Amino acid sequence: MTGPERPAGDRFPAERRGERPGGGRPTGERGERPAGDRRGERPTQGRWGGDRREGGRRPARPAVDLPRQIAYEAVAAVHRDDAYANLVLPSLLRDAGLTGRDAAFATELTYGTLRHLGTLDAILTDAAGRDVQRIDPPVRDALRIGAYQLLHTRVPAHAAVSSTVDLVRAVGPGATGFANAVLREVAGRDSDAWVAKLAPPMESDPVGHLALAYSHPQWIVRAFAEALGGDLGETARLLIEDNERPPVHLCARPGLADPVALADEVGGAPGAFSPYAVYLSGGAPGDLPALAEGRAHVQDEGSQLVANALAVAPLDGPDGRWLDLCAGPGGKSGLLGALAAQRDARLTAVEVAEHRARLVAQATRGLPVTVLNTDGRTVGADPKLPEAHFDRVLVDAPCTGLGSLRRRPESRWRREPSDLPPLTRLQRELLTAALRAVRPGGLVAYVTCSPHTVETHVTVTEAARRSGVPVDFVDARPLLPVGMPGLGDGPTVQLWPHRHGTDAMFLAMLRRT
């Protein structure tokens, strides 16, 4: 062997592993970006399919088929620009004119790749003989999509490999040989065999095993297990459910739409628990007339249940002044506003971010809702938020969002344990403000879309203890539908994807005494 020896485990020469040979900076990490390689932009025709101008010749074989092209653009935008898949993918599909099966395939590749990212990266690291983070980012994202097809779809192996090599040819032309070799290595085992090879033993390292087997960071697996009382079998079922594609849930606004009629209208089915829920089997909900007309909105059934619990909780005395202290983007305000309209009540919706306050105003148009663009912690200092004034108060607190990882799969890779201290401090401050805002005898619902015990039980008990406002916990279980399973021992309620088919919403109900 001539020339300098390669480091152990470095299987491929630089020109075949996605790097520039000679020690140069990897392609795609330079200061400039190729045209069309920015969030939400379409790739140039030359980059993806050769000269497609009128009168020009098409290549005999397109460089990349359109669904895979769109999936790559979405995944790349998530990793390159910190974009959110649920925002960037619909615009890419719309701009490309993709519908039906092609749109469904692009969506499956995008969300599936993001959900399984941790496990895919471990497999690609082993297959390439080097840390996946040292592969040129465009090539890395293409390989992730290719590995997902090989391990989690019915795409034939030869088609998954060849289509991914075509994709690499478009985004990192010098790495096609490397991509072909890596993907053939990946194809040599199925998903279970890769997990058996790479995951630590369940007996000695259960958290590490579950994290790699079901593609979640270890700290999240540990937090889920703690919230589930240490039951690792149930933790595994939750992780599996997190990796499934969730159905779209609609909320039929009370007084404006009947859920059974709406289900017939949209080709869906009434929900299992919420009296306002409708399940969609597919399609683009944004195109539905019911949403454009304000008769319904997209909202997870769990969010509907916790908002409705506040509205149905028994209350003595006046009941006309309701408050949503953290209202953006407006889903719960939309439901509460529709309920308030039926009961001659009025909702004040508070949102600190200006653009989100505009979304709340749009979501509640035509309902008895007043939107305030201010900080909910200013209760008592803001004349529009007087103390001891409101009858029902919702605190849908900012949180890690660990309860909605099945809908926002990229969040599991962005959140860190270090996010918790500032969030929990904000949660306590907002809940304390809500306890000041509610009148004696009134109710406060504290809600998070996270099952992390620090954001749920710890936050509620600490805020109640420090607030200086006398409160009692109200058992939240009777405020949810009769017969709903798995609600625990109370007085708080934790919903779960694997138990209830909802996001993992937490609800604590407090009454100011």
Side-chain angles (χ1 to χ4, degrees), residues 275-359:
Y276 314 114
V278 172
Y279 300 161
L280 285 185
S281 58
D287 297 335
L288 298 175
L291 272 67
E293 296 163 4
R295 295 184 285 120
H297 60 267
V298 175
Q299 185 178 38
D300 180 78
E301 189 174 18
S303 293
Q304 298 174 40
L305 289 167
V306 296
N308 187 61
L310 174 62
V312 302
L315 180 68
D316 294 329
D319 193 15
R321 296 173 297 199
W322 298 3
L323 174 64
D324 185 349
L325 205 59
C326 318
K332 295 181 182 68
S333 291
L335 175 53
L336 288 174
L339 290 167
Q342 294 184 312
R343 293 160 55 173
D344 199 26
R346 186 162 194 91
L347 175 70
T348 299
V350 177
E351 173 52 48
V352 66
E354 183 178 356
H355 72 285
R356 287 168 66 88
R358 289 195 297 269
L359 292 175

Side-chain angles (χ1 to χ4, degrees), residues 30-397:
R30 300 167 63 89
E32 71 277 10
R33 292 174 177 152
D37 201 26
R38 289 177 289 273
R39 185 191 310 202
E41 291 188 10
R42 293 286 307 283
T44 60
Q45 293 293 341
R47 178 181 174 190
W48 294 103
D51 187 355
R52 301 254 181 122
R53 294 171 297 182
E54 188 174 351
R57 286 187 176 181
R58 287 179 179 265
R61 177 182 179 185
V64 186
D65 67 276
L66 198 52
R68 290 181 173 90
Q69 168 188 330
I70 296 304
Y72 168 80
E73 286 294 319
V75 170
V78 167
H79 296 140
R80 182 187 60 233
D81 305 327
D82 285 337
Y84 290 92
N86 67 318
L87 298 179
V88 71
L89 180 60
S91 64
L92 289 168
L93 293 173
R94 184 172 55 250
D95 292 347
L98 275 191
T99 59
R101 294 179 64 181
D102 283 346
F105 185 50
T107 300
E108 167 67 12
L109 292 183
T110 300
Y111 280 93
T113 299
L114 295 173
R115 288 189 183 103
H116 292 273
L117 190 70
T119 306
L120 294 176
D121 279 2
I123 292 168
L124 288 170
T125 292
D126 186 85
R130 58 185 294 107
D131 193 315
V132 73
Q133 297 303 322
R134 295 174 60 193
I135 299 173
D136 181 21
V139 176
R140 182 169 66 223
D141 282 334
L143 288 174
R144 288 162 165 167
I145 293 171
Y148 177 76
Q149 292 174 73
L150 286 168
L151 299 173
H152 296 285
T153 74
R154 296 181 180 179
V155 175
H158 67 87
V161 171
S162 64
S163 64
T164 305
V165 170
D166 287 342
L167 178 57
V168 170
R169 184 174 291 111
V171 302
T176 54
F178 166 73
N180 184 68
V182 169
L183 291 170
R184 290 185 180 279
E185 184 76 15
V186 172
R189 293 179 174 86
D190 64 15
S191 180
D192 290 341
W194 275 112
V195 168
K197 178 184 181 184
L198 299 177
M202 184 72 179
E203 296 75 18
S204 59
D205 185 2
V207 169
H209 181 91
L210 293 173
L212 191 137
Y214 302 116
S215 197
H216 284 66
Q218 289 194 25
W219 75 273
I220 293 180
V221 174
R222 195 172 292 111
F224 286 173
E226 180 182 359
L228 288 165
D231 187 330
L232 295 177
E234 190 171 9
T235 301
R237 291 193 292 274
L238 169 60
L239 300 176
I240 292 169
E241 191 65 30
D242 259 358
N243 289 334
E244 295 296 322
R245 182 179 179 181
V248 175
H249 295 172
L250 299 183
C251 176
R253 292 186 169 181
L256 299 173
D258 175 79
V260 175
L262 179 64
D264 290 340
E265 177 185 335
V266 301
F273 301 116
S274 167
Y276 314 114
V278 172
Y279 300 161
L280 285 185
S281 58
D287 297 335
L288 298 175
L291 272 67
E293 296 163 4
R295 295 184 285 120
H297 60 267
V298 175
Q299 185 178 38
D300 180 78
E301 189 174 18
S303 293
Q304 298 174 40
L305 289 167
V306 296
N308 187 61
L310 174 62
V312 302
L315 180 68
D316 294 329
D319 193 15
R321 296 173 297 199
W322 298 3
L323 174 64
D324 185 349
L325 205 59
C326 318
K332 295 181 182 68
S333 291
L335 175 53
L336 288 174
L339 290 167
Q342 294 184 312
R343 293 160 55 173
D344 199 26
R346 186 162 194 91
L347 175 70
T348 299
V350 177
E351 173 52 48
V352 66
E354 183 178 356
H355 72 285
R356 287 168 66 88
R358 289 195 297 269
L359 292 175
V360 176
Q362 181 180 350
T364 58
R365 186 178 296 118
L367 298 173
V369 177
T370 300
V371 179
L372 300 182
N373 179 204
T374 190
D375 192 324
R377 292 171 290 183
T378 60
V379 169
D382 188 327
K384 296 180 180 178
L385 292 175
E387 293 192 16
H389 177 75
F390 296 93
D391 305 307
R392 299 179 190 267
V393 180
L394 173 66
V395 183
D396 183 16

